[in-house]
């Protein structure tokens, strides 16, 4: 009888923890970070603060970060050593230190983690997406330290790990880190077909091509055999919302 009671109690506890985790995710999606923090703290405490799972601490520290509790968010991870073995925890701790204007500390966390944690995995795109986020944060930290060449390499690596990580591409374009030719070469070199199916790959290429065009400089000299004004007008039009809508209607026709 005692064993049955114990088993029922354990099942009830698991259901309660799962319910609390679901509340954390729901309130996080709604941007209600105080509620998310309350339930994340409760979920972590339900198994004891030292025995809490990496995922629970990630949810807790993410809520802290969103509430502006930067050092608490980082401490929740680093005090348990989770930045060494849990990629999501590493990412949130690094973001906390970057937001706290401590980029060197953020980079030090990467030096302390297990090397295999920072390697892409062929059959695990969830891991690769988390890795890409860590690399983007690394690039932000490197940029803050004026190590721009290293930041560019980190962003390239982030894009290769997760070709859909638009944030990495956006940072490269905003910083004018590459020439238009190198931007095109980078996009063509991405392992898009390895990570996406045919329709997804076509969508991503079209979206990235459109984004790169918006950052491309206007031609200062006419192409051979083409009038100067229409060429400039066409490039300007391609960057406008009207131009994008017109091309969309043409594709749909």
């Amino acid at each position: 009888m005692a064993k049955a009671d114990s088993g029922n109690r354990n099942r009830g506890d698991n259901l309660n923890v799962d319910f609390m985790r679901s509340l954390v995710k729901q309130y996080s999606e709604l941007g209600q970070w105080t509620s998310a923090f309350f339930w994340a703290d409760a979920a972590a405490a339900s198994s004891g603060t030292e025995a809490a799972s990496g995922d629970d601490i990630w949810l807790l520290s993410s809520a802290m970060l969103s509430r502006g509790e930067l050092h608490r968010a980082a401490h929740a991870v680093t005090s348990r050593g989770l930045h060494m073995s849990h990629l999501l925890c590493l990412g949130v701790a690094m973001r906390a230190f970057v937001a706290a204007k401590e980029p060197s500390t953020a980079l030090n966390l990467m030096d302390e983690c297990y090397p295999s944690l920072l390697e892409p995995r062929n059959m695990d795109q969830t891991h690769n997406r988390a890795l890409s986020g860590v690399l983007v944060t690394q690039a932000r930290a490197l940029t803050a330290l004026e190590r721009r060449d290293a930041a560019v390499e980190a962003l390239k690596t982030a894009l290769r790990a997760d070709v859909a990580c638009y944030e990495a591409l956006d940072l490269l374009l905003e910083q004018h880190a590459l020439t238009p030719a190198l931007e095109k070469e980078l996009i063509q070199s991405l392992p898009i077909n390895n990570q996406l199916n045919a329709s997804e790959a076509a969508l991503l290429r079209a979206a990235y091509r459109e984004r790169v065009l918006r950052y491309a400089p206007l031609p200062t000299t006419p192409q051979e055999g083409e009038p100067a004004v229409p060429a400039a007008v066409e490039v300007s039009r391609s960057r406008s919302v009207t131009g994008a809508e017109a091309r969309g209607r043409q594709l749909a026709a």
Side-chain angles (χ1 to χ4, degrees):
M1 185 66 178
K3 289 183 178 179
D5 290 342
S6 176
N8 290 334
R9 186 164 54 252
N10 288 337
R11 283 193 294 273
D13 290 344
N14 289 336
L15 287 173
N16 288 337
V17 173
D18 289 341
F19 173 64
M20 288 186 283
R21 289 169 180 159
S22 71
L23 288 176
V24 176
K25 294 174 182 177
Q26 290 175 45
Y27 283 120
S28 295
E29 290 174 356
L30 293 170
Q32 298 182 25
W33 298 113
T34 298
S35 295
F37 167 74
F38 176 83
W39 291 112
D41 190 38
S46 66
S47 56
T49 54
E50 297 303 323
S53 72
D55 286 350
D56 285 335
I57 297 303
W58 167 61
L59 290 172
L60 176 62
S61 57
S62 295
M64 290 176 175
L65 176 60
S66 297
R67 283 161 50 91
E69 300 175 16
L70 307 180
H71 288 99
R72 282 190 71 193
H75 180 75
V77 170
T78 57
S79 63
R80 296 171 174 84
L82 287 170
H83 63 289
M84 296 187 292
S85 59
H86 195 284
L87 195 54
L88 292 173
C89 284
L90 171 64
V92 73
M94 288 181 65
R95 291 198 303 275
F97 280 124
V98 169
K101 301 188 184 305
E102 299 178 30
S104 295
T105 307
L107 294 176
N108 289 340
L109 295 184
M110 293 187 73
D111 294 335
E112 295 174 6
C113 72
Y114 300 130
S116 60
L117 193 67
L118 301 178
E119 295 176 358
R121 299 174 184 173
N122 291 334
M123 303 302 292
D124 189 353
Q125 198 55 28
T126 299
H127 169 89
N128 293 342
R129 290 222 159 98
L131 174 60
S132 183
V134 166
L135 293 169
V136 168
T137 304
Q138 179 192 26
R140 292 186 182 279
L142 290 167
T143 299
L145 295 171
E146 301 295 332
R147 296 170 58 186
R148 300 191 182 279
D149 289 343
V152 168
E153 291 306 312
L155 292 172
K156 289 180 181 179
T157 305
L159 263 176
R160 294 189 183 101
D162 176 18
V163 297
C165 182
Y166 171 73
E167 185 177 5
L169 178 65
D170 189 53
L171 287 173
L172 283 169
L173 296 178
E174 280 190 351
Q175 296 175 9
H176 303 288
L178 304 174
T179 65
L182 288 176
E183 291 169 358
K184 182 178 179 180
E185 181 181 331
L186 173 63
I187 293 174
Q188 290 176 340
S189 71
L190 296 177
I192 296 174
N193 292 335
N194 294 339
Q195 297 181 19
L196 304 174
N197 63 36
S199 60
E200 293 167 345
L203 173 64
L204 184 137
R205 286 191 177 94
Y208 281 5
R209 185 165 53 248
E210 173 70 20
R211 188 58 168 152
V212 168
L213 280 174
R214 293 182 188 179
Y215 279 90
L218 287 170
T220 55
T221 58
Q223 300 294 323
E224 184 176 353
E226 295 182 358
V229 174
V233 170
E234 180 59 25
V235 173
S236 297
R237 184 173 180 273
S238 72
R239 299 179 195 171
S240 67
V241 174
T242 303
E245 292 175 348
R247 283 194 302 281
R249 288 193 294 270
Q250 291 172 0
L251 291 173

